[in-house]
Amino acid sequence: MPKKMSKLADRIHNIEESKSVRLAGILSQLRAEGRDIIGLNVGEPDFYTPKNIIEATKNALDQNMTRYSLVEGIQDLRDAIAKKASEQLTRKINSKQVFLGNGSKHILYNIFQTIINPGDEVIVPVPYWVTFPEAIKLAGGIPKFVTCPNNQLSVENIKEAITEKTKAIIINSPNNPTGAIYPKEVIEELGKLAVEKDIFIISDEAYDALVYDNMKFPSPGALSEDVFKKTLTVQSFSKSYCMTGFRIGYLIAEEEIIKNMQKLQSHLSGNNCTFAQYGALEAILSSDKIIEDMVKIMEKRRDLAYSLCEGLFEVEKPQGAFYLFPNVEKYLNEQMPNDEILAEKLLKETGVAILPGAYFGAPGFIRICFATNEEQITEGMKRIRTFLCK
Ligand SMILES: Cc1ncc(COP(=O)(O)O)c(C=O)c1O
């Protein structure tokens, strides 16, 4: 008798694979088969990692920085992050309030494992980044979706969704998938609510550097001391420094949270790749120049992509990140009844990859990433227009 396959954990049946990551796999396969693909789907800058960061990483290897290091991150890097965070959050942050993980995705996972008991609820404004609900569920939590019209946070709707089981709310500004930045007044209102109801604000700021039109980006951690104490600020080296493959993200929070995250991570993954951390240190020390150059280019791309939507979609102009999130409902019909089928047909018929809004909890929309060169943006948008207006 063949041995019966062991039954897998409910936990794993309960979550979905990241559909955007799966699509990226399909695309590399299509490219390998020689298809002419325009990838407006992957959320990463198309630039190489800046040379000085590569050199610092190589140098760390030459210096044999290849062993285990501190679980929470090497001291020099945490000091440099604490200095930057003190400016961003307008208060003195020390290195004990800084914690490194393998990308901000890992940090988010660790946060939920650290703060969530089974059955606890976490408020997730819609649309949301695909990982939020799954990371909450992996910790036994319940994502409580809250509709937020016009790509903005509705504190009113959030208030109504709070129950005695609410542990946290997760926000993401600049936002993936909408590119929206939440205004200061709204963040202040949310901060007040979090203190009053004693819930955490998890502020995913992975796109903090990618802000356009000289806008200021309001962070809840920069509000009063009371709000700071309830806020877990999550940041990443991935997007700001073109270091997606280095896998370095970090958390700024109260020391008690950091200590407990450290306890968890000591059994999970231990430290981040040691030599990659030296690359991150160089990145943060040279950040002004790197970020300034990248933002200039991305802003031009944003303007181009947005202008190419004229007469095609209804879409808000993104204030940050590198995504457009247009409504495509007027193009849906019997042959193309929803955004997922639209995305699939678009890919098959034109070779343009985008992501359906349904992945982000917002059916009827699509996400177009403009973190690629102007030629690709122009050609991609041309093909989308021809496809939709045929
Ligand atoms: C909103 C948001 N947060 C976090 C991340 C994860 O970034 P990383 O794990 O590379 O730091 C992403 C990546 O796409 C993202 O869009």
Side-chain angles (χ1 to χ4, degrees), residues 160-180:
E160 275 173 25
I162 293 177
T163 70
E164 77 273 4
K165 291 204 165 152
T166 306
K167 198 53 161 301
I169 165 159
I170 182 156
I171 61 166
N172 168 221
S173 173
N175 187 269
N176 175 10
T178 67

Side-chain angles (χ1 to χ4, degrees), residues 296-338:
K296 263 191 214 145
I297 297 174
M298 285 296 181
E299 192 165 322
K300 262 183 88 189
R301 292 175 174 181
R302 187 268 320 245
D303 291 343
L304 172 67
Y306 180 68
S307 71
L308 293 171
C309 289
E310 210 187 318
L312 186 63
F313 302 125
E314 264 176 53
V315 64
E316 299 276 338
K317 192 172 190 179
Q319 300 163 304
F322 33 59
Y323 308 107
L324 289 161
F325 200 58
N327 185 306
V328 291
E329 274 164 329
K330 67 178 175 185
Y331 296 107
L332 302 179
N333 51 40
E334 251 174 50
Q335 289 76 46
M336 207 160 66
N338 60 49

Side-chain angles (χ1 to χ4, degrees), residues 20-154:
S20 46
V21 170
R22 189 174 64 208
L23 186 81
I26 298 173
L27 286 192
S28 20
Q29 177 68 28
L30 288 173
R31 284 200 175 102
E33 288 166 8
R35 283 283 307 271
D36 166 26
I37 300 291
I38 299 197
L40 304 182
N41 60 311
V42 185
E44 67 179 340
D46 63 335
F47 312 118
Y48 291 125
T49 306
K51 275 239 148 27
N52 59 320
I53 298 176
I54 300 283
E55 283 309 317
T57 312
K58 282 190 196 164
N59 195 31
L61 276 167
D62 287 339
Q63 308 278 321
N64 297 310
M65 301 299 186
T66 53
R67 303 196 167 205
Y68 290 133
S69 56
L70 292 174
V71 169
E72 63 272 31
I74 57 173
Q75 187 64 44
D76 288 354
L77 178 54
R78 280 185 301 118
D79 284 341
I81 291 173
K83 187 159 175 269
K84 183 176 171 204
S86 302
E87 286 161 23
Q88 287 182 320
L89 304 182
T90 59
R91 56 173 33 82
K92 178 86 190 94
I93 302 291
N94 68 60
S95 65
K96 291 186 178 148
Q97 295 168 304
V98 178
F99 185 78
L100 273 99
N102 292 281
S104 56
K105 211 176 242 199
H106 186 217
I107 292 282
L108 288 167
Y109 175 87
N110 287 356
I111 286 176
F112 292 123
Q113 295 293 326
T114 304
I115 66 169
I116 294 292
N117 281 318
D120 282 351
E121 294 171 354
V122 179
I123 293 179
V124 181
V126 178
Y128 49 79
W129 180 49
V130 292
T131 289
F132 295 161
E134 308 314 301
I136 294 164
K137 286 193 271 171
L138 278 168
I142 300 168
K144 193 99 186 270
F145 299 108
V146 170
T147 313
C148 288
N150 307 323
N151 297 344
Q152 283 301 327
L153 272 189
S154 163

